[in-house]
Amino acid sequence: MFAAHRFEKIGSLMNRMLPLAIAKLCLVAFPPYTYAQTQTETQPTFSFNATRAMQWLPLSGDEADGIIFPVTVNGQATYADIDTGSTVSDVALFSSKLVPLADGAKDAKTISAKGYGGVSHYPIRRADSLVIGGLTLLNQQVAVTDQPLSRDDRVGVTIGINLLMGLTLQVDWENRRARFLLGGDLPKDSGTVTVAIETRTRFPVVDAEICGIQVKALLDTGTDSDVHLVPEQEKLWECAAPVRSDIRSIGAGGPIIKGLASLPTARIGGRPMGPTMASIDPEGGPLSRWGFSASVGTGLLRRSNFVLDAGSSALAFYGPDRTARVTDRTRIGIQYRPDGNGLLITHIMKASPASQTILKPGDRICTLNGRTIEALAGKYGDISPPVGKTARIGVCAGPTVSIVASDYLAFPGTPDIAFPAGTPAVPEPAGVGRVTEAFSRCISLSGEEMAEACSIVLNAPRVANFWKETARKRQATAFPNAATPGIP
């Protein structure tokens, strides 16, 4: 989201806040297809395998780091994540490890993205191929950066909302998997949240309720925060708990400090999401500039499985309430980053247990609970132990400071649930994947079976005309004597 990168941990809270500059893969201009297009080698082309698209991709890494799944770039296996809050509108963002910066001509174009703290510039290069499930994109222009794209250093590609305009993204957190289906068939009912594409910014927007106030919120999977709020609208956090804190993140122009407040609940559409942590942006941040009051991130989206059918302007949650399992507030209040064989403290969060000690930004941690940082090999979860437990922080060439963990940011008297105990899981929306499965049969079968499958595609309410035309042509081969083959 908004072209900012932050790679500091907050205790065990894996708070990525990665406003990433990414981009569309031009599915409006180049919709996916079952057969490869027959264009010249230098033009962007594509192919779509509906059978493969029905298959699930495994979600990888820590789910707090985002929606991360395997892809292939130029024949090389790597990982991608989804950022629907991208500020770069025309191309996907690739790591220079996959598409070298030196490959471009001296007069190659660049794309600029203004985010927290400054402007980032990305040179434009060309990727030979990108394979995402059943979708293959060839000869695509992409933006390239030599900066990390994620806390998960395996991520080599970031994908924005415009790719999803032609597809349906289904994320099954419970079974750690996701898939990309044909869009346009998610049924609308009382549980469906409307997703509108804002005309000016091209960002996805949902109706949300924060502190009892209805707002249009940016849907931003590029941050693992629950919600971001603009500082100009204080009413949006009037209902917050008395204890307020802050958080440090890294923007394009350097570090920035944001407020942090605990809200009793929030809603996306009509769905309650349970207690919510609100990050309050600094003055003049990207949300304010774009005219939004709030954004909602994967901190809330992780609380339930979901289906996002941007082409049908629909978002549906299903499955059990995961709020208690995924809520992970910082309990010590130390932000840090790796620094050689130690951890450098970058920020002590206001009102936290750590703020009551002698620890300060710039201190280096050499031991944690008596073990050296080097021996821990990247596993630093003990820096934010369960409530009531003690973390012993050993300062390099200094004292060892003992801190008792406290859930100081919890909203008083409010359990970490979105629904009352015993509420049954919401069933998966009927018909998810139906059009993709039918399209696969439409182009692979013959006779009446093929015609019946093609009819499902033709009758899907918001499937793109490109797909319907393909189905219509296929159906015509089943009824060659029909005057006007099409929707029966």
Side-chain angles (χ1 to χ4, degrees), residues 5 41 45 75 97 193 229 253 276 375 412 461:
H5 299 268
E41 291 185 1
T45 62
K97 296 177 182 178
V193 179
L229 303 177
T276 302

Side-chain angles (χ1 to χ4, degrees), residues 7-8 10 39 80 87 113 119 126 135 159 174 199 210 264 266 272 305 322 336 349 365 382 400 407 432 450 465:
F7 299 100
E8 300 164 353
I10 313 170
Q39 299 183 21
T87 56
V119 178
R126 186 175 295 276
L135 174 66
I159 294 169
E174 285 292 282
T199 303
I210 301 170
N305 300 335
R322 308 178 75 239
Y336 61 90
M349 299 173 70
I365 301 172
D382 286 346
T400 295
D407 199 3
V432 174
M450 177 262 284
N465 288 335

Side-chain angles (χ1 to χ4, degrees), residues 25 27 31-33 47-48 53 82 132-137 159-170 179-185 307-314 436 464 467:
L25 295 179
L27 286 189
Y33 187 33
S47 65
F48 186 81
I82 299 290
I132 309 168
L135 174 66
T136 299
L137 296 164
I159 294 169
I161 187 62
N162 287 282
L163 171 64
L164 302 182
M165 291 304 295
L167 301 172
T168 289
L169 169 64
Q170 183 175 11
R179 59 182 178 174
F180 296 84
L181 306 167
L182 288 185
D185 197 37
V307 181
L308 174 60
D309 186 348
S312 281
S313 305
T436 307
W467 302 105

Side-chain angles (χ1 to χ4, degrees), residues 342-394:
L343 301 175
L344 178 67
I345 296 178
T346 57
H347 184 62
I348 300 294
M349 299 173 70
K350 185 171 64 176
S352 69
S355 70
Q356 310 303 314
T357 72
I358 63 172
L359 295 176
K360 62 186 183 301
D363 286 345
R364 293 182 71 250
I365 301 172
C366 279
T367 64
L368 177 59
N369 291 343
R371 299 184 63 189
T372 66
I373 298 303
E374 188 174 17
L376 292 173
K379 298 179 179 179
Y380 311 132
D382 286 346
I383 204 169
S384 185
V387 173
K389 300 295 184 179
T390 298
R392 292 182 289 115
I393 311 296

Side-chain angles (χ1 to χ4, degrees), residues 31-297:
Y33 187 33
T34 2
Y35 311 108
Q37 288 182 321
T38 55
Q39 299 183 21
T40 64
E41 291 185 1
T42 58
Q43 290 180 311
T45 62
F46 56 84
S47 65
F48 186 81
N49 185 314
T51 301
R52 186 180 300 169
M54 288 291 295
Q55 300 171 0
W56 293 92
L57 301 173
L59 291 176
S60 183
D62 191 322
E63 68 179 54
D65 287 340
I67 304 168
I68 299 174
F69 50 91
V71 297
T72 303
V73 173
N74 298 342
Q76 179 178 344
T78 185
Y79 291 86
D81 67 359
I82 299 290
D83 182 357
T84 58
S86 166
T87 56
V88 180
S89 60
D90 294 323
V91 291
L93 187 64
F94 276 47
S95 168
S96 59
K97 296 177 182 178
L98 299 172
V99 178
L101 289 166
D103 283 356
K106 292 183 179 180
D107 59 349
K109 295 180 180 180
T110 61
I111 285 181
S112 299
K114 189 172 184 180
Y116 289 103
V119 178
S120 297
H121 304 281
Y122 302 95
I124 298 298
R125 300 292 183 262
R126 186 175 295 276
D128 293 336
S129 67
L130 170 62
V131 181
I132 309 168
L135 174 66
T136 299
L137 296 164
L138 303 173
N139 298 318
Q140 296 288 322
Q141 286 192 331
V142 299
V144 180
T145 179
D146 58 2
Q147 298 300 308
L149 297 179
S150 169
R151 280 188 55 86
D152 189 328
D153 59 10
R154 301 172 303 163
V155 172
V157 181
T158 311
I159 294 169
I161 187 62
N162 287 282
L163 171 64
L164 302 182
M165 291 304 295
L167 301 172
T168 289
L169 169 64
Q170 183 175 11
V171 177
D172 180 358
W173 296 112
E174 285 292 282
N175 294 296
R176 302 287 299 148
R177 60 187 187 173
R179 59 182 178 174
F180 296 84
L181 306 167
L182 288 185
D185 197 37
L186 185 64
K188 300 288 185 68
D189 57 34
S190 59
T192 304
V193 179
T194 299
V195 180
I197 302 301
E198 207 269 337
T199 303
R200 182 171 56 90
T201 63
R202 305 302 300 165
F203 288 143
V205 177
V206 295
D207 291 324
E209 183 181 305
I210 301 170
C211 278
I213 300 173
Q214 299 291 328
V215 298
K216 299 290 185 182
L218 166 66
L219 182 66
D220 183 8
T221 62
T223 172
D224 73 350
S225 299
D226 291 351
V227 301
H228 279 254
L229 303 177
V230 296
E232 295 87 352
Q233 297 193 31
E234 296 184 9
K235 290 184 177 180
L236 291 179
W237 65 90
E238 280 186 346
C239 65
V243 175
R244 308 288 176 86
S245 189
D246 58 14
I247 193 169
R248 181 182 188 267
S249 63
I250 303 297
I256 55 176
I257 303 296
K258 302 177 182 180
L260 203 60
S262 179
L263 309 180
T265 189
R267 288 177 176 267
I268 300 178
R271 190 190 192 282
M273 305 305 296
T276 302
M277 291 303 305
S279 176
I280 303 168
D281 282 359
E283 295 283 346
L287 282 177
S288 299
R289 290 199 304 270
W290 288 110
F292 294 110
S293 299
S295 69
V296 297

